[in-house]
mmCIF file of all heavy atoms in Angstrom:
data_model
loop_
_atom_site.group_PDB
_atom_site.id
_atom_site.type_symbol
_atom_site.label_atom_id
_atom_site.label_comp_id
_atom_site.label_asym_id
_atom_site.label_seq_id
_atom_site.Cartn_x
_atom_site.Cartn_y
_atom_site.Cartn_z
ATOM 1 N N ILE A 1 0.835 -1.195 0.003
ATOM 2 C CA ILE A 1 -0.017 0.010 -0.006
ATOM 3 C C ILE A 1 0.859 1.262 -0.041
ATOM 4 O O ILE A 1 1.811 1.381 0.763
ATOM 5 C CB ILE A 1 -0.977 -0.010 1.202
ATOM 6 C CG1 ILE A 1 -2.083 -0.984 1.029
ATOM 7 C CG2 ILE A 1 -1.546 1.398 1.436
ATOM 8 C CD1 ILE A 1 -3.018 -1.147 2.167
ATOM 9 N N VAL A 2 0.475 2.164 -0.846
ATOM 10 C CA VAL A 2 1.169 3.452 -0.965
ATOM 11 C C VAL A 2 0.341 4.464 -0.188
ATOM 12 O O VAL A 2 -0.752 4.192 0.248
ATOM 13 C CB VAL A 2 1.304 3.871 -2.421
ATOM 14 C CG1 VAL A 2 2.176 2.930 -3.178
ATOM 15 C CG2 VAL A 2 -0.016 3.964 -3.127
ATOM 16 N N PRO A 3 0.858 5.640 0.052
ATOM 17 C CA PRO A 3 0.071 6.631 0.779
ATOM 18 C C PRO A 3 -1.314 6.821 0.208
ATOM 19 O O PRO A 3 -1.516 6.738 -0.986
ATOM 20 C CB PRO A 3 0.874 7.903 0.635
ATOM 21 C CG PRO A 3 2.307 7.442 0.447
ATOM 22 C CD PRO A 3 2.140 6.132 -0.350
ATOM 23 N N ASP A 4 -2.245 7.121 1.128
ATOM 24 C CA ASP A 4 -3.651 7.278 0.676
ATOM 25 C C ASP A 4 -3.798 8.250 -0.457
ATOM 26 O O ASP A 4 -4.667 8.076 -1.309
ATOM 27 C CB ASP A 4 -4.507 7.737 1.857
ATOM 28 C CG ASP A 4 -4.659 6.678 2.971
ATOM 29 O OD1 ASP A 4 -4.278 5.570 2.706
ATOM 30 O OD2 ASP A 4 -5.201 7.016 3.997
ATOM 31 N N LYS A 5 -3.007 9.318 -0.446
ATOM 32 C CA LYS A 5 -3.090 10.305 -1.526
ATOM 33 C C LYS A 5 -2.842 9.650 -2.894
ATOM 34 O O LYS A 5 -3.566 9.929 -3.859
ATOM 35 C CB LYS A 5 -2.058 11.405 -1.270
ATOM 36 C CG LYS A 5 -2.137 12.580 -2.195
ATOM 37 C CD LYS A 5 -1.380 13.723 -1.655
ATOM 38 C CE LYS A 5 0.059 13.735 -2.203
ATOM 39 N NZ LYS A 5 0.829 14.899 -1.834
ATOM 40 N N GLU A 6 -1.921 8.756 -2.962
ATOM 41 C CA GLU A 6 -1.638 8.031 -4.185
ATOM 42 C C GLU A 6 -2.809 7.065 -4.552
ATOM 43 O O GLU A 6 -3.162 6.965 -5.719
ATOM 44 C CB GLU A 6 -0.345 7.226 -4.090
ATOM 45 C CG GLU A 6 0.893 8.086 -3.977
ATOM 46 C CD GLU A 6 1.062 8.989 -5.137
ATOM 47 O OE1 GLU A 6 0.951 8.596 -6.314
ATOM 48 O OE2 GLU A 6 1.334 10.206 -4.915
ATOM 49 N N LEU A 7 -3.382 6.432 -3.527
ATOM 50 C CA LEU A 7 -4.565 5.572 -3.807
ATOM 51 C C LEU A 7 -5.693 6.381 -4.362
ATOM 52 O O LEU A 7 -6.356 5.872 -5.294
ATOM 53 C CB LEU A 7 -4.982 4.887 -2.483
ATOM 54 C CG LEU A 7 -4.326 3.623 -2.082
ATOM 55 C CD1 LEU A 7 -4.851 3.199 -0.701
ATOM 56 C CD2 LEU A 7 -4.608 2.487 -3.073
ATOM 57 N N ARG A 8 -5.969 7.563 -3.823
ATOM 58 C CA ARG A 8 -7.087 8.369 -4.267
ATOM 59 C C ARG A 8 -6.894 8.838 -5.707
ATOM 60 O O ARG A 8 -7.825 9.079 -6.414
ATOM 61 C CB ARG A 8 -7.263 9.570 -3.335
ATOM 62 C CG ARG A 8 -8.009 9.167 -2.084
ATOM 63 C CD ARG A 8 -8.489 10.370 -1.346
ATOM 64 N NE ARG A 8 -8.394 10.092 0.062
ATOM 65 C CZ ARG A 8 -7.492 10.575 0.916
ATOM 66 N NH1 ARG A 8 -6.596 11.405 0.486
ATOM 67 N NH2 ARG A 8 -7.489 10.226 2.162
ATOM 68 N N LYS A 9 -5.631 8.998 -6.147
ATOM 69 C CA LYS A 9 -5.404 9.398 -7.534
ATOM 70 C C LYS A 9 -5.898 8.271 -8.486
ATOM 71 O O LYS A 9 -6.411 8.588 -9.535
ATOM 72 C CB LYS A 9 -3.905 9.619 -7.785
ATOM 73 C CG LYS A 9 -3.413 10.962 -7.251
ATOM 74 C CD LYS A 9 -1.953 11.075 -7.610
ATOM 75 C CE LYS A 9 -1.330 12.289 -6.922
ATOM 76 N NZ LYS A 9 0.121 12.343 -7.106
ATOM 77 N N ARG A 10 -5.702 7.027 -8.094
ATOM 78 C CA ARG A 10 -6.082 5.946 -8.968
ATOM 79 C C ARG A 10 -7.546 5.589 -8.827
ATOM 80 O O ARG A 10 -8.234 5.286 -9.807
ATOM 81 C CB ARG A 10 -5.209 4.699 -8.602
ATOM 82 C CG ARG A 10 -3.774 4.912 -9.072
ATOM 83 C CD ARG A 10 -3.007 3.653 -8.897
ATOM 84 N NE ARG A 10 -1.883 4.009 -7.985
ATOM 85 C CZ ARG A 10 -1.415 3.225 -7.085
ATOM 86 N NH1 ARG A 10 -1.889 2.039 -6.902
ATOM 87 N NH2 ARG A 10 -0.449 3.613 -6.307
ATOM 88 N N ARG A 11 -8.046 5.550 -7.600
ATOM 89 C CA ARG A 11 -9.466 5.235 -7.310
ATOM 90 C C ARG A 11 -9.837 5.950 -6.017
ATOM 91 O O ARG A 11 -8.974 6.241 -5.181
ATOM 92 C CB ARG A 11 -9.605 3.712 -7.138
ATOM 93 C CG ARG A 11 -9.399 2.955 -8.366
ATOM 94 C CD ARG A 11 -9.856 1.505 -8.156
ATOM 95 N NE ARG A 11 -9.592 0.744 -9.362
ATOM 96 C CZ ARG A 11 -9.148 -0.449 -9.421
ATOM 97 N NH1 ARG A 11 -8.763 -1.049 -8.321
ATOM 98 N NH2 ARG A 11 -8.971 -1.042 -10.563
ATOM 99 N N PRO A 12 -11.114 6.186 -5.812
ATOM 100 C CA PRO A 12 -11.491 6.925 -4.541
ATOM 101 C C PRO A 12 -11.517 6.034 -3.314
ATOM 102 O O PRO A 12 -12.507 5.751 -2.718
ATOM 103 C CB PRO A 12 -12.908 7.448 -4.920
ATOM 104 C CG PRO A 12 -13.450 6.409 -5.900
ATOM 105 C CD PRO A 12 -12.240 5.952 -6.700
ATOM 106 N N TYR A 13 -10.298 5.526 -2.937
ATOM 107 C CA TYR A 13 -10.214 4.694 -1.768
ATOM 108 C C TYR A 13 -9.832 5.537 -0.515
ATOM 109 O O TYR A 13 -9.166 6.550 -0.623
ATOM 110 C CB TYR A 13 -9.080 3.683 -1.928
ATOM 111 C CG TYR A 13 -9.378 2.526 -2.852
ATOM 112 C CD1 TYR A 13 -8.658 2.339 -4.023
ATOM 113 C CD2 TYR A 13 -10.376 1.601 -2.556
ATOM 114 C CE1 TYR A 13 -8.924 1.281 -4.826
ATOM 115 C CE2 TYR A 13 -10.661 0.547 -3.382
ATOM 116 C CZ TYR A 13 -9.913 0.368 -4.511
ATOM 117 O OH TYR A 13 -10.174 -0.697 -5.371
ATOM 118 N N SER A 14 -10.208 5.027 0.594
ATOM 119 C CA SER A 14 -9.772 5.587 1.861
ATOM 120 C C SER A 14 -9.380 4.395 2.751
ATOM 121 O O SER A 14 -10.111 3.393 2.786
ATOM 122 C CB SER A 14 -10.876 6.331 2.531
ATOM 123 O OG SER A 14 -10.437 6.855 3.740
ATOM 124 N N VAL A 15 -8.262 4.467 3.396
ATOM 125 C CA VAL A 15 -7.765 3.332 4.261
ATOM 126 C C VAL A 15 -7.622 3.874 5.652
ATOM 127 O O VAL A 15 -7.002 4.938 5.852
ATOM 128 C CB VAL A 15 -6.403 2.762 3.739
ATOM 129 C CG1 VAL A 15 -6.056 1.555 4.595
ATOM 130 C CG2 VAL A 15 -6.493 2.366 2.267
ATOM 131 N N LEU A 16 -8.171 3.181 6.604
ATOM 132 C CA LEU A 16 -8.074 3.542 7.973
ATOM 133 C C LEU A 16 -7.383 2.397 8.703
ATOM 134 O O LEU A 16 -7.685 1.234 8.530
ATOM 135 C CB LEU A 16 -9.492 3.721 8.570
ATOM 136 C CG LEU A 16 -9.579 4.115 10.038
ATOM 137 C CD1 LEU A 16 -9.040 5.533 10.215
ATOM 138 C CD2 LEU A 16 -10.996 4.048 10.517
ATOM 139 N N TYR A 17 -6.390 2.721 9.513
ATOM 140 C CA TYR A 17 -5.592 1.755 10.224
ATOM 141 C C TYR A 17 -5.873 1.784 11.728
ATOM 142 O O TYR A 17 -6.089 2.869 12.317
ATOM 143 C CB TYR A 17 -4.114 2.052 9.993
ATOM 144 C CG TYR A 17 -3.703 2.036 8.583
ATOM 145 C CD1 TYR A 17 -3.748 3.231 7.842
ATOM 146 C CD2 TYR A 17 -3.307 0.864 7.898
ATOM 147 C CE1 TYR A 17 -3.404 3.244 6.468
ATOM 148 C CE2 TYR A 17 -2.997 0.875 6.591
ATOM 149 C CZ TYR A 17 -3.000 2.073 5.871
ATOM 150 O OH TYR A 17 -2.690 2.068 4.563
ATOM 151 N N LEU A 18 -5.883 0.678 12.333
ATOM 152 C CA LEU A 18 -5.889 0.492 13.789
ATOM 153 C C LEU A 18 -4.508 0.069 14.178
ATOM 154 O O LEU A 18 -4.012 -0.955 13.680
ATOM 155 C CB LEU A 18 -6.944 -0.510 14.232
ATOM 156 C CG LEU A 18 -7.088 -0.699 15.730
ATOM 157 C CD1 LEU A 18 -7.574 0.625 16.435
ATOM 158 C CD2 LEU A 18 -8.081 -1.821 16.042
ATOM 159 N N VAL A 19 -3.842 0.842 15.039
ATOM 160 C CA VAL A 19 -2.455 0.565 15.357
ATOM 161 C C VAL A 19 -2.206 0.538 16.830
ATOM 162 O O VAL A 19 -2.883 1.143 17.630
ATOM 163 C CB VAL A 19 -1.539 1.653 14.741
ATOM 164 C CG1 VAL A 19 -1.629 1.628 13.209
ATOM 165 C CG2 VAL A 19 -1.859 3.047 15.236
ATOM 166 N N SER A 20 -1.172 -0.223 17.175
ATOM 167 C CA SER A 20 -0.548 -0.159 18.514
ATOM 168 C C SER A 20 0.639 0.744 18.347
ATOM 169 O O SER A 20 0.960 1.152 17.244
ATOM 170 C CB SER A 20 -0.133 -1.534 18.956
ATOM 171 O OG SER A 20 1.015 -1.973 18.234
ATOM 172 N N PRO A 21 1.359 1.076 19.405
ATOM 173 C CA PRO A 21 2.558 1.938 19.213
ATOM 174 C C PRO A 21 3.599 1.304 18.238
ATOM 175 O O PRO A 21 4.347 2.025 17.552
ATOM 176 C CB PRO A 21 3.168 2.036 20.612
ATOM 177 C CG PRO A 21 1.962 1.892 21.464
ATOM 178 C CD PRO A 21 1.104 0.855 20.853
ATOM 179 N N GLU A 22 3.620 -0.021 18.130
ATOM 180 C CA GLU A 22 4.645 -0.663 17.263
ATOM 181 C C GLU A 22 4.174 -1.159 15.948
ATOM 182 O O GLU A 22 4.955 -1.390 15.068
ATOM 183 C CB GLU A 22 5.233 -1.914 18.017
ATOM 184 C CG GLU A 22 5.852 -1.614 19.350
ATOM 185 C CD GLU A 22 4.785 -1.682 20.456
ATOM 186 O OE1 GLU A 22 3.807 -2.434 20.345
ATOM 187 O OE2 GLU A 22 4.975 -0.983 21.464
ATOM 188 N N ARG A 23 2.854 -1.403 15.777
ATOM 189 C CA ARG A 23 2.466 -2.130 14.568
ATOM 190 C C ARG A 23 1.016 -1.786 14.180
ATOM 191 O O ARG A 23 0.180 -1.350 14.958
ATOM 192 C CB ARG A 23 2.604 -3.608 14.787
ATOM 193 C CG ARG A 23 1.707 -4.224 15.863
ATOM 194 C CD ARG A 23 1.926 -5.687 16.050
ATOM 195 N NE ARG A 23 1.975 -6.454 14.872
ATOM 196 C CZ ARG A 23 3.101 -6.896 14.260
ATOM 197 N NH1 ARG A 23 4.261 -6.663 14.759
ATOM 198 N NH2 ARG A 23 3.007 -7.583 13.147
ATOM 199 N N ILE A 24 0.693 -2.169 12.931
ATOM 200 C CA ILE A 24 -0.650 -2.114 12.397
ATOM 201 C C ILE A 24 -1.354 -3.410 12.895
ATOM 202 O O ILE A 24 -0.888 -4.550 12.685
ATOM 203 C CB ILE A 24 -0.706 -2.028 10.884
ATOM 204 C CG1 ILE A 24 -0.074 -0.736 10.427
ATOM 205 C CG2 ILE A 24 -2.081 -2.188 10.349
ATOM 206 C CD1 ILE A 24 0.161 -0.646 8.904
#
C-alpha cells in the first residue's frame, strides 16, 4: 500500500488503520 493520496489518484479509496505503538 502506498500513501492514501496516491490511492485516491487511482481510485477513490480511503484506508483507515488501527495501530498499537509498534504495529498495524
Side-chain angles (χ1 to χ4, degrees):
I1 286 176
V2 294
D4 291 351
K5 187 164 91 175
E6 295 300 315
L7 273 174
R8 281 193 214 106
K9 283 181 188 174
R10 289 186 240 144
R11 292 191 180 137
Y13 286 116
S14 179
V15 183
L16 181 67
Y17 302 91
L18 182 63
V19 297
S20 73
E22 304 86 30
R23 65 183 311 102
I24 296 171

